[in-house]
Amino acid sequence: MYTDIYTASLPPELLAMAETPVMQRLLRVGMHCGCEYTAYPIYRNAVAPYSRYTHSLGTAAIVWHFTHDLKQSVAGLLHDIATPAFAHVVDFLNGDHMRQESTESRTRMMIASSLELMALLDKSGLTLDDVDDYHRYPIADNDSPRLSADRLEYTLGNAHLVFHCPKAELKRIFDDIFVGQNDDSEDELCFAHAEIADIFTQLSLRQSEWFVSDEDRFSMQALADLLREARQRNVLTVDDLYLDEPHVIALLLSDPVLAAHWQDYRRITGTQSGAEKPEGTYAVKVAAKKRSIDPLVQTSDGLRRFTTVNADYAAKLTAFRADDFDRWVWAKYE
């Protein structure tokens, strides 16, 4: 697996926590917010499935590599512990699709409700307060567009599993990163060389564009609407969403109406768009949270944001941020 580029080994205490049932659940929750169940070619051609568990363990490994601090690494491991089935689709369901933070609200409760995890934390000398909010540790997480372990992991993970970037290239990128201090005197992951930062930011921008593409936004809203219909038909509850994706899919398939809609969802191969909403066709006009990274890079003048070093990337990032999504989008099928 590509994640072995992050560190040679992890502390046994952290690995034991990764084996708890509450973490193992994330093996059955995907990183691509339900879009991987469609017939989009990009997912049919993926190297391998990408789970929230793989991402969580990878984030912990990156934090450990740069800090060797157990509480920060465990906070990184647990940061997605409350991710529901289909992940940020539930933010669309909750009307929080522009911030995509509503699914984080159960993090502390999910940790505290796991007897196995709480026992392991106690044995390791850690408290719930140490690990329930990775936002307090800037290497683990920080404000966009800064580079953190979380953003680094899903960028490299998607680069390899979705965009077929060779593992050797991922390692070349990862080995160029060091911990520096930003303008706010906070630790931040930085690049030693502009040419490596260029490779990374091109991968990051490609990912950013795909994850707010018409296809992605349409699919997430369509799946959110399907989940809303399932709740209205009393087929699933909010708590069902916090089990795993096979469980939720089985519930959808148990209802003939929802099963037909789910099968239609799975046949989507792409989207069409236009200024006018087509009559008699399910179409959406929806925005989404734009994720982007503008990392620090070492220069002869000290650490600088890459957009101040590379005008081409700055222009592409500006163009990406300018899209207002003011168009109707609908599905194409096989």
Side-chain angles (χ1 to χ4, degrees):
M1 191 63 175
Y2 73 92
T3 51
D4 62 7
I5 69 171
Y6 300 145
T7 185
S9 63
L10 284 167
E13 302 96 321
L14 187 146
L15 292 173
M17 294 177 201
E19 292 297 316
T20 58
V22 72
M23 280 300 301
Q24 290 290 299
R25 177 187 75 89
L26 297 181
L27 285 165
R28 300 177 298 280
V29 178
M31 278 294 287
H32 295 127
C33 304
C35 296
E36 62 267 56
Y37 293 97
T38 68
Y40 291 151
I42 194 169
Y43 296 117
R44 285 186 168 181
N45 298 328
V47 172
Y50 189 13
S51 72
R52 289 279 160 175
Y53 177 82
T54 297
H55 167 64
S56 297
L57 195 58
T59 300
I62 292 172
V63 176
W64 179 255
H65 174 87
F66 288 109
T67 70
H68 281 84
D69 183 277
L70 185 61
K71 68 180 179 183
Q72 293 187 52
S73 303
V74 172
L77 176 73
L78 304 181
H79 81 279
D80 268 351
I81 198 169
T83 301
F86 311 125
H88 292 301
V89 165
V90 178
D91 289 318
F92 278 68
L93 179 64
N94 294 339
D96 187 43
H97 56 282
M98 294 304 294
R99 295 192 312 144
Q100 297 188 10
E101 295 175 355
S102 70
T103 50
E104 298 177 7
S105 63
R106 294 192 177 202
T107 298
R108 186 178 177 90
M109 182 197 74
M110 293 281 277
I111 298 170
S113 65
S114 169
L115 297 178
E116 301 94 338
L117 189 50
M118 289 302 294
L120 288 168
L121 288 173
D122 185 61
K123 184 179 178 181
S124 301
L126 300 176
T127 68
L128 182 58
D129 290 336
D130 287 331
V131 301
D132 74 329
D133 183 7
Y134 82 139
H135 299 299
R136 66 169 63 99
Y137 304 120
I139 293 299
D141 184 60
N142 50 30
D143 291 335
S144 178
R146 298 174 180 182
L147 182 59
S148 64
D150 181 24
R151 293 189 191 95
L152 176 61
E153 204 298 312
Y154 66 64
T155 302
L156 296 184
N158 283 313
H160 181 61
L161 297 174
V162 179
F163 300 127
H164 300 267
C165 183
K167 184 176 172 180
E169 189 79 333
L170 302 187
K171 181 168 173 52
R172 184 179 175 217
I173 292 168
F174 188 74
D175 287 348
D176 197 62
I177 296 172
F178 68 97
V179 177
Q181 284 212 320
N182 59 32
D183 290 341
D184 294 325
S185 299
E186 291 183 339
D187 287 345
E188 185 176 338
L189 301 182
C190 310
F191 283 95
H193 300 94
E195 59 267 30
I196 305 299
D198 188 34
I199 296 168
F200 174 79
T201 52
Q202 294 306 317
L203 290 169
S204 170
L205 183 59
R206 183 180 180 187
Q207 171 186 256
S208 297
E209 290 169 343
W210 172 250
F211 290 119
V212 292
S213 65
D214 286 353
E215 290 84 358
D216 192 270
R217 294 180 356 268
F218 174 83
S219 299
M220 291 179 73
Q221 186 61 59
L223 187 49
D225 288 342
L226 178 54
L227 295 178
R228 182 175 293 106
E229 184 180 8
R231 287 178 59 185
Q232 291 168 349
R233 294 175 68 85
N234 296 316
V235 171
L236 64 79
T237 67
V238 172
D239 287 341
D240 285 317
L241 295 172
Y242 289 88
L243 295 177
D244 58 35
E245 287 168 9
H247 171 80
V248 173
I249 291 168
L251 292 177
L252 296 177
L253 293 176
S254 72
D255 179 286
V257 173
L258 300 173
H261 291 169
W262 172 251
Q263 295 302 341
D264 285 342
Y265 178 84
R266 297 217 61 190
R267 293 190 301 112
I268 301 171
T269 58
T271 59
Q272 302 177 77
S273 64
E276 301 296 328
K277 184 178 182 179
E279 290 188 18
T281 300
Y282 174 83
V284 303
K285 181 185 283 190
V286 60
K289 179 179 179 179
K290 291 182 180 178
R291 291 175 167 85
S292 60
I293 304 174
D294 185 11
L296 288 170
V297 60
Q298 187 67 56
T299 73
S300 57
D301 297 324
L303 288 172
R304 293 173 55 188
R305 293 287 164 200
F306 191 61
T307 48
T308 70
V309 174
N310 188 300
D312 179 65
Y313 182 64
K316 289 178 178 177
L317 200 56
T318 297
F320 164 71
R321 291 168 174 166
D323 188 352
D324 62 5
F325 306 125
D326 186 20
R327 54 190 173 273
W328 290 98
V329 184
W330 57 96
K332 292 193 297 186
Y333 296 95
E334 291 180 302

